[in-house]
Amino acid sequence: MPEGPSLIILRDELARFAGQSIRVAQGTSALDLDRMSGERIIAFRTWGKHLLIELEHFTMRVHLLMFGTYRINEGKPGRDPKLSLLLDDGDMLNFYACDLRYLDDPLDQIYDWRSDVMADAWSPRRARNKLLKQPDTLVCDALLDQTIFSGVGNIIRNEVQYRTRIHPESRIGALPPRKLGELIREARTYSFDFLAWKRVFVLKKNLAAHTKKNCKRCELPFLKTWPGTSARRSFFCTGCQVLYG
C-alpha cells in the first residue's frame, strides 16, 4: 500500500496538470465518471494515503489501496484503468486497482490536516492527546491509526518502532512520557526520511527493520509476527526493542 511519502511524490508529479480541463473521464468504475468531463483541475492535494483531485465543483478522492498504480500518458498492458482522464492538451492520467469517491463538501470540512504527519499543519500535541485517551492500544495499532498518524503505513511503522526501540506490542499507556514523545516525533521525521530516500531510489537500501532478517544493533534474528487488531507484518528485535506494559 502506498504510504504518505509516495503520495507526495505522486502529487508533485501531477502538479503540472493543474489548470487544465478534463476532456473525457472514463474507466471501469461504477461511478458516473462522466461527471468529471469538462471540469477544470484546481489542484492536486494529499491527505495521508488519499490523492485528492480538486475540481471546480467537487473533488475526486483516489485511494490506491494495497495494489493501486498509476500511469501518465501510457496504459498498463492487459489492464483497463479504473479511472482514465484525458486532458485538454492531450495528456492522459490512468489509475488502476484503486478506490474512487466523489467528495462534494469543502476539503477543509472533511479532512483534519493536523493528523497528516507530512502536512505543515501536523500537530504532535493533538496526536499525544488522542493517544493518551487509549492507553490499552498497542503501539503497532496506534501507528496505523489514520486519525492520529495519517500517512503512516506498515513500512514506516516498523522502522519507527525500531528507531525508537519500542516493541510493537507495547501498550501506549505504559510508555514513559519521553518515549511517547519520541514515538510521535519519529512518525513525522521518518516519513520525511522515507520521502527523501524514495525520491532518489534508495529507500530499500536504507530500511533497517522492515523485511530484514537480523538486527544491525544486536545481530539477533528479527522476529516476524502479525500482532494487534491490524494484523500487519511486524519485524522487531527482542534484544533492543523494549516491551512496555
Side-chain angles (χ1 to χ4, degrees), residues 210-233:
H210 188 74
T211 71
K212 300 301 181 181
K213 293 183 178 181
N214 297 297
C215 173
K216 63 182 181 181
R217 292 190 292 244
C218 304
E219 299 184 355
L220 292 173
F222 276 119
L223 291 186
K224 181 171 75 171
T225 63
W226 288 260
T229 59
S230 55
R232 299 293 300 280
R233 285 189 306 170

Side-chain angles (χ1 to χ4, degrees), residues 121-203:
W122 158 253
S123 173
R125 176 177 294 181
R126 181 177 176 279
R128 178 185 285 270
N129 290 339
K130 280 199 164 189
L131 290 170
L132 291 176
K133 292 178 181 178
Q134 43 185 281
D136 292 331
T137 299
L138 302 185
V139 167
C140 60
D141 289 328
L143 282 170
L144 291 181
D145 186 336
Q146 298 302 292
T147 68
I148 303 175
F149 298 107
S150 175
V152 169
N154 206 39
I155 295 176
I156 296 174
R157 180 191 73 158
N158 278 311
E159 295 296 316
V160 168
Q161 289 167 168
Y162 185 67
R163 273 194 180 186
T164 57
R165 300 177 181 243
I166 298 174
H167 190 290
E169 295 179 56
S170 297
R171 297 194 180 277
I172 290 295
L175 296 179
R178 285 188 179 181
K179 187 57 70 171
L180 180 61
E182 183 183 1
L183 181 75
I184 295 168
R185 183 172 62 253
E186 282 299 331
R188 178 173 171 87
T189 299
Y190 189 86
S191 294
F192 277 96
D193 288 343
F194 183 119
L195 176 62
W197 293 328
K198 184 89 172 176
R199 286 193 189 280
V200 294
F201 310 104
V202 295
L203 175 62

Side-chain angles (χ1 to χ4, degrees), residues 14-41:
L14 296 176
R16 68 183 187 272
F17 302 116
Q20 292 194 46
S21 293
I22 299 171
R23 186 187 305 172
V24 178
Q26 57 189 1
T28 62
S29 172
L31 291 178
D32 176 17
L33 298 179
D34 191 54
R35 182 183 177 191
M36 301 179 71
S37 298
E39 286 282 330
R40 186 169 64 88
I41 299 173

